Amino acid sequence: MSAYVGMAELLMGGCTTSSDHLYVHPRPGLVDAEIRAARDIGFRFHATRGSMTRSVEDGGLPPRSVTQTEDEVLADSERLIGAYHDPGPGALVRVALAPCSPFSVTKSLMTATAELAERHDVRLHTHLAEDHDEDTYCLETYGCRPVEYFEETGWMSDRSWVAHCIYPNDAELRRLAAAGVGVAHCPSSNMLIGGGTARVTEMRELGLPVGIGCDGSASTDHASLWMETRAALLLGRYRGGPGAMTARDALDIATRGSARCLGREDELGHLRPGACADLVVWDLHEVALAGALSDPVEAWLRCGPARAWTTVVGGRVLVDGGEPRLSGLADALRAHGGIARRIQQGA
């Protein structure tokens, strides 16, 4: 239910393609359930088989109750690739492999996952250089900095994209750029947590693919690609000055940059012959747009709020008139509401 509702919210926020870093597996089949929800909706979805194998008892961060063995993780990763990954043009479902972070998986799992991804030609995702504690942990545990560890485990390639990437140094940024590693920039999450933010302008100047991530309810509680794109614009200017980022820069990050992170720059993130039939039509009230005559792109991102009036995925209209056109949404919301009440209120 949570996946269904989350995807509906993403569609309403102007998102046509998303991934999800699902790395806690209290019971089997959760990635399968996400993929079923995406197929029921018609959403374009990159499911990532996340994992945590290094518990606090083993020198990691998570409790043992939410970890799995390496054999369990690798076997399920291979199963999901075989069952669901579609490498063909226009694919609605693809699978990526996503050990959570240096704090929560072993070095051997990172290496084995990179080898598995190479064997099956799927993408890799993880958290990287998210906070200063990660520097300390990697130095104490692995004898190197996070980006060095990333490279030692076989992840330094254009197959990989990482979340946050806030604290690499200049030399590390250049190495990431040379390898073609992508970065999912999560501006609202960064600001709510208050732990810093990626050097997006410098990354793009070096040629790193930079996309936008809504990050999920753990640290944002909304799933609007428009809100995240606007936040990226504001945060870019706050960090680098008024000339550091334009609305067109932010739009490029949200569209073509995000497509590059997923390895799909050939068919997603742009409107041209041969691309997927994914389209969002935005609605801004005439009061918000009053006097905004010179630049419609700047007006779209600066004069909001804006909502997706029409969202099309693969030629199917999934949001129309600002409302989701999903036959299962009412049932999903009822079920989701009941579960939320039990968790939050004990009802």
Side-chain angles (χ1 to χ4, degrees), residues 2 8 144 151 178 180 187-188 201 206 242 266 272 275 280 294 297 328 337:
S2 61
C144 60
E151 187 166 16
S188 292
T201 300
L206 288 169
D266 56 335
R272 64 178 69 134
V280 181
S294 60
V297 178

Side-chain angles (χ1 to χ4, degrees), residues 181-195:
V181 175
V183 173
H185 175 43
C186 306
S188 292
S189 171
N190 293 166
M191 288 186 284
L192 281 166
I193 294 173

Side-chain angles (χ1 to χ4, degrees), residues 8 12 71 74 86 90 108 117 151-152 173 183 185 188 190 193 206 220 240 262 271 277 282 295 303 318 341:
M12 294 174 69
D71 287 345
L74 293 170
D86 180 0
S108 58
E151 187 166 16
E152 285 182 5
L173 266 187
V183 173
H185 175 43
S188 292
N190 293 166
I193 294 173
L206 288 169
T220 59
L262 295 176
L271 297 174
W282 297 91
D295 191 328
C303 298
L318 300 182
R341 281 189 293 274

Side-chain angles (χ1 to χ4, degrees), residues 118-202:
E118 181 76 23
R119 195 157 64 244
H120 290 285
D121 193 23
V122 298
R123 295 188 70 73
L124 292 164
H125 181 59
T126 191
H127 293 82
L128 182 68
E130 187 174 357
D131 57 46
H132 288 306
D133 289 343
E134 189 175 324
D135 293 343
T136 303
Y137 182 85
C138 285
L139 286 167
E140 292 177 350
T141 306
Y142 306 115
C144 60
R145 286 173 53 80
V147 172
E148 294 175 285
Y149 171 72
F150 185 79
E151 187 166 16
E152 285 182 5
T153 54
W155 281 61
M156 187 69 84
S157 80
D158 61 3
R159 188 183 301 283
S160 303
W161 88 102
V162 300
H164 303 297
C165 204
I166 297 169
Y167 293 111
N169 60 35
D170 291 346
E172 290 166 344
L173 266 187
R174 289 193 293 270
R175 281 156 57 195
L176 291 165
V181 175
V183 173
H185 175 43
C186 306
S188 292
S189 171
N190 293 166
M191 288 186 284
L192 281 166
I193 294 173
T197 189
R199 292 188 284 160
V200 172
T201 300
E202 295 96 319

Side-chain angles (χ1 to χ4, degrees), residues 10 15 19 71 82 88 104 156 176 336:
L10 283 165
C15 180
S19 65
D71 287 345
S104 54
M156 187 69 84
L176 291 165
H336 185 276

